[in-house]
Amino acid sequence: MKSAYLYVRVSTDEQKRKGYSLPEQEDRLLKYCKYNNIEVKGIYREDYSAKNFNRPEWKELFFEIKKKSAGENKNILFIKWDRFSRNVEYAYEMIGKLRKYKTTAMAIDQPIDFSVPESTVMLAVYLAVPEAENTRRAQNTANGIRRAKLMGRYPNKAPIGFINVTLMDGKKAIVPKEPEAEIIKWAFNQVIQNDHRISEIRKIANDKGLMCSRSHFFRVLRNPIYCGLISIKINSNEEQIVQGLHEPLISESLFDQVQSVVNTKRKATAKRDDLQSVFFLRGFLTCPVCDRKLTYA
């Protein structure tokens, strides 16, 4: 090996858990190259997850590899195989692509002699262990979230109208956030009056300061978190509802009434006086494309 590209990678969660650092990896690789008289062609520093190869620095490195002469043998060095990938399928696919460009990937702490057929067994182990770690960590996280929800706590990112906080005991919770919470209360009360279409209510809520798309607004109206309940998914067809410890924005009876309106096709009445004050130019402005009066739909 006469020359090599150095690849160092760390993700934010790994740095918190294991103390990985880019400078530490880089320093070890440089010392390895110096000791073995390997010329460093470039250093690529990545702060990204290794679940796939859709990473900015790796893309740049791979592009550099492709630019080089097809007859030139190239090498990529990293500390361990989990710096290269944490997904067996993607790892083997990328190794095949590198081989096409006469490039060898190598971990200095877990060396593989690709000229020996049995070495593929060790490569499989080196690649499978990080993926198994990721899967186990994801399962543990999901189980922890589920246990917290069963206890009435909401550990996920707070839905609109709430904000995440840490209590005195160190546990996570959600509390109402203004002005969004008050706007959501108003929206629920408007829906049960059935005076306006839900799309019109959403537009007024947006004008009041609730930044919410149409699909997101319908998810808000169907989310029991706002009446103090937490939905826990058991499987694809079953869910469990538990009483939450957070402060509800609306009552359960109001939530049930809103579900009746949302899930039933009902024709809204023609009360639009309050909308006129919001869309006061409706019927006056003309579309420059179709030459029709502008309205709200």
Side-chain angles (χ1 to χ4, degrees):
M1 188 182 296
K2 296 180 180 179
S3 64
Y5 296 93
L6 307 186
Y7 181 73
V8 295
R9 186 196 66 80
V10 68
S11 62
T12 304
D13 64 321
E14 286 177 330
Q15 192 154 326
K16 287 180 180 178
R17 288 184 293 104
K18 297 183 178 180
Y20 279 119
S21 70
L22 296 177
E24 179 186 7
Q25 294 178 54
E26 184 177 328
D27 182 60
R28 288 192 57 200
L29 288 170
L30 288 172
K31 287 179 179 178
Y32 177 89
C33 290
K34 183 178 180 179
Y35 182 81
N36 291 280
N37 295 317
I38 299 172
E39 178 189 358
V40 177
K41 305 286 286 187
I43 303 176
Y44 293 81
R45 305 166 182 87
E46 193 91 78
D47 184 2
Y48 227 75
S49 169
K51 62 182 179 182
N52 56 46
F53 285 93
N54 187 25
R55 318 171 206 156
E57 289 297 311
W58 180 266
K59 286 182 177 180
E60 188 175 331
L61 172 56
F62 191 68
F63 180 73
E64 181 68 20
I65 292 293
K66 290 168 65 176
K67 284 195 311 181
K68 296 300 180 182
S69 171
E72 178 186 348
N73 290 324
K74 297 169 284 291
N75 301 282
I76 300 176
L77 291 179
F78 36 85
I79 297 295
K80 291 185 177 182
W81 282 100
D82 63 354
R83 302 302 88 204
F84 176 71
S85 176
R86 283 182 167 270
N87 182 290
V88 174
E89 180 183 355
Y90 290 138
Y92 276 117
E93 182 182 1
M94 180 55 67
I95 289 172
K97 290 180 179 179
L98 293 174
R99 194 169 293 158
K100 176 182 174 183
Y101 295 102
K102 301 190 70 174
T103 302
T104 302
M106 185 63 65
I108 63 173
D109 283 358
Q110 298 167 329
I112 296 289
D113 185 354
F114 287 100
S115 65
V116 180
E118 290 77 13
S119 65
T120 56
V121 177
M122 283 307 301
L123 176 61
V125 172
Y126 289 145
L127 292 174
V129 169
E131 183 173 13
E133 285 181 354
N134 268 10
T135 303
R136 173 55 62 189
R137 188 165 60 252
Q139 287 183 354
N140 291 341
T141 300
N143 290 337
I145 291 174
R146 188 172 183 276
R147 285 194 298 269
K149 286 185 175 181
L150 286 170
M151 295 171 61
R153 295 189 293 111
Y154 193 83
N156 299 98
K157 180 181 179 182
I160 188 170
F162 289 96
I163 188 172
N164 294 101
V165 297
T166 302
L167 303 178
M168 295 293 292
D169 58 4
K171 294 181 179 179
K172 307 293 183 181
I174 56 173
V175 296
K177 177 187 177 184
E178 300 298 347
E180 290 89 346
E182 198 61 38
I183 300 171
I184 289 174
K185 292 179 188 178
W186 172 88
F188 271 94
N189 282 287
Q190 287 297 310
V191 171
I192 64 168
Q193 294 179 26
N194 202 35
D195 290 340
H196 312 294
R197 288 178 295 182
I198 294 178
S199 59
E200 295 169 347
I201 296 173
R202 180 188 69 85
K203 288 180 180 179
I204 299 176
N206 286 164
D207 290 335
K208 288 177 175 287
L210 186 71
M211 295 297 100
C212 189
S213 67
R214 182 181 182 278
S215 59
H216 192 180
F217 189 71
F218 272 91
R219 289 198 298 272
V220 167
L221 295 179
R222 291 188 172 99
N223 194 343
I225 196 78
Y226 295 101
C227 68
L229 302 177
I230 297 177
S231 174
I232 305 171
K233 195 169 184 179
I234 305 300
N235 52 51
S236 57
N237 300 316
E238 186 180 359
E239 65 178 7
Q240 180 180 353
I241 302 294
V242 300
Q243 184 67 50
L245 299 176
H246 62 280
E247 177 187 344
L249 301 187
I250 61 171
S251 65
E252 289 187 40
S253 60
L254 175 56
F255 180 78
D256 291 338
Q257 292 178 64
V258 168
Q259 302 319 295
S260 177
V261 174
V262 171
N263 297 325
T264 305
K265 290 186 177 180
R266 301 174 65 185
K267 187 175 181 180
T269 59
K271 296 180 181 179
R272 299 191 177 190
D273 294 340
D274 56 337
L275 292 179
Q276 293 289 349
S277 61
V278 177
F279 304 100
F280 55 88
L281 292 178
R282 182 180 70 88
F284 292 96
L285 296 179
T286 302
C287 177
V289 178
C290 64
D291 200 34
R292 295 175 64 182
K293 299 293 185 182
L294 297 179
T295 182
Y296 48 86

